[in-house]
Structures are given as C-alpha cells and as structure tokens.
Amino acid sequence: MLDDITFKDPLNTFTGIEKYKLIFWALRFHGKILFREIALDVYRIWQPSENVILIRWNLRGVPRVPWEAKGEFQGTSRYKLDRNGKIYEHKVDNLAFNFPQTLKPVSVLDLVTACPASPNLTFSWGSVDSNSSSWIEFYQAVKDTLDQEEGLLPQDCVATCSW
C-alpha cells in the first residue's frame, strides 16, 4: 500500500496510510464494544481489470441489547492498484442493510438503559477541514491511550475475522 492511500465510503473520505489504519482500528474497537458477536464473511474476490480488485462481503452481528436482535449488511470493497500492484484507493459501496422484519416489543426503560445517550456523532475538537476529522483525532487519542495500557484490545484481524 502507498502512503497516500484514499479510503472512501458513502459518508467519508480519508487520505493517508495512518488514517486508513486508524479507521479500521476504530471499526474493530466499536465492534467489540457494541456487539456480543460480530463476523465479516468474504463471499467473492475477483479482478475485473488489471488495476482493480473487487471483494463482496457480508458483516453480521448480534448487538449488546437486552432483547433478541441480529443485523447484517453487505457491501463491496473496490481496491484500485497502481502499475506496481500497490493499493492506492479503497472504496466501499453497494451497501445493503438486512435487518429482521419482525421486532420484539420492548419497554421504554429497556431502550433507555440499553442505548447510549446519543446515536449521533457528538465528539468534536479543533478545526475540521477536507484533510482532517475530529473523529480521526478522537480515535487516535483512544488508540494511543490503549496502546499505553499494553493493548487492552487485540489488534489482529484487519479484514476477515470473527470476534
């Protein structure tokens, strides 16, 4: 991978290898906190052209809520390669969410005690421009703190794994 790799999804664009590593660290971090079980299945890998690799995947999990719930979503990761075969862009698209059609009724108390105070992104510090993100800074601060605590969270399995 090149140092100037760009990651794109429907909501974000990040450039730089350190930000790329950090966003996947943040995904693993949230996965361990928010889900009892979580797994990423790779369904297909193919190369439609010399400079593109496509991966079709499915992410499924059981969230940490007091009622029975499961969720999953599928997507495609498109990796663009330079002349030397190095990845310079990773784009996630074709997202499809598959949630259960029937939900068990729960009390308001269950919802209040099970959910965080805000489902929205509420952290912010410093200025945010097209090349930075307060969330990147926040994740870096959390990662640095955990690294100082001798890695309280395992750092293995970047792409395909089950926790």
Side-chain angles (χ1 to χ4, degrees):
M1 275 190 261
L2 299 172
D3 288 345
D4 61 350
I5 186 169
T6 299
F7 173 80
K8 297 179 181 182
D9 69 15
L11 299 175
N12 303 290
T13 298
F14 298 104
T15 300
I17 190 68
E18 292 306 315
K19 289 180 183 177
Y20 184 81
K21 289 177 186 178
L22 191 58
I23 199 68
F24 282 94
W25 177 90
L27 289 170
R28 288 190 307 270
F29 178 78
H30 282 109
K32 290 179 181 296
I33 290 174
L34 299 174
F35 291 88
R36 284 193 311 253
E37 297 174 24
I38 190 166
L40 178 68
D41 303 313
V42 174
Y43 289 143
R44 183 175 176 209
I45 301 172
W46 71 106
Q47 193 166 3
S49 66
E50 188 175 321
N51 63 341
V52 174
I53 296 173
L54 293 172
I55 298 178
R56 185 74 179 156
W57 48 263
N58 183 62
L59 181 66
R60 56 190 163 79
V62 178
R64 294 183 191 273
V65 293
W67 58 89
E68 187 176 328
K70 292 182 181 177
E72 64 182 80
F73 66 96
Q74 298 176 359
T76 302
S77 287
R78 177 184 307 265
Y79 297 92
K80 290 186 179 179
L81 310 174
D82 68 9
R83 286 188 227 164
N84 298 317
K86 303 281 186 178
I87 297 169
Y88 69 88
E89 182 180 284
H90 175 185
K91 182 177 181 185
V92 174
D93 54 13
N94 300 318
L95 295 176
F97 296 87
N98 303 311
F99 293 103
Q101 297 301 318
T102 57
L103 298 175
K104 290 176 76 176
V106 296
S107 72
V108 172
L109 181 60
D110 287 337
L111 292 173
V112 171
T113 58
C115 296
S118 172
N120 300 319
L121 303 177
T122 56
F123 174 84
S124 179
W125 80 42
S127 64
V128 178
D129 59 29
S130 63
N131 294 319
S132 70
S133 165
S134 60
W135 281 100
I136 290 290
E137 293 172 12
F138 173 71
Y139 291 138
Q140 186 63 55
V142 171
K143 183 178 182 305
D144 290 346
T145 301
L146 291 173
D147 287 346
Q148 289 175 5
E149 297 293 325
E150 296 187 34
L152 296 176
L153 296 175
Q155 298 296 313
D156 56 343
C157 63
V158 171
T160 58
C161 60
S162 295
W163 290 295

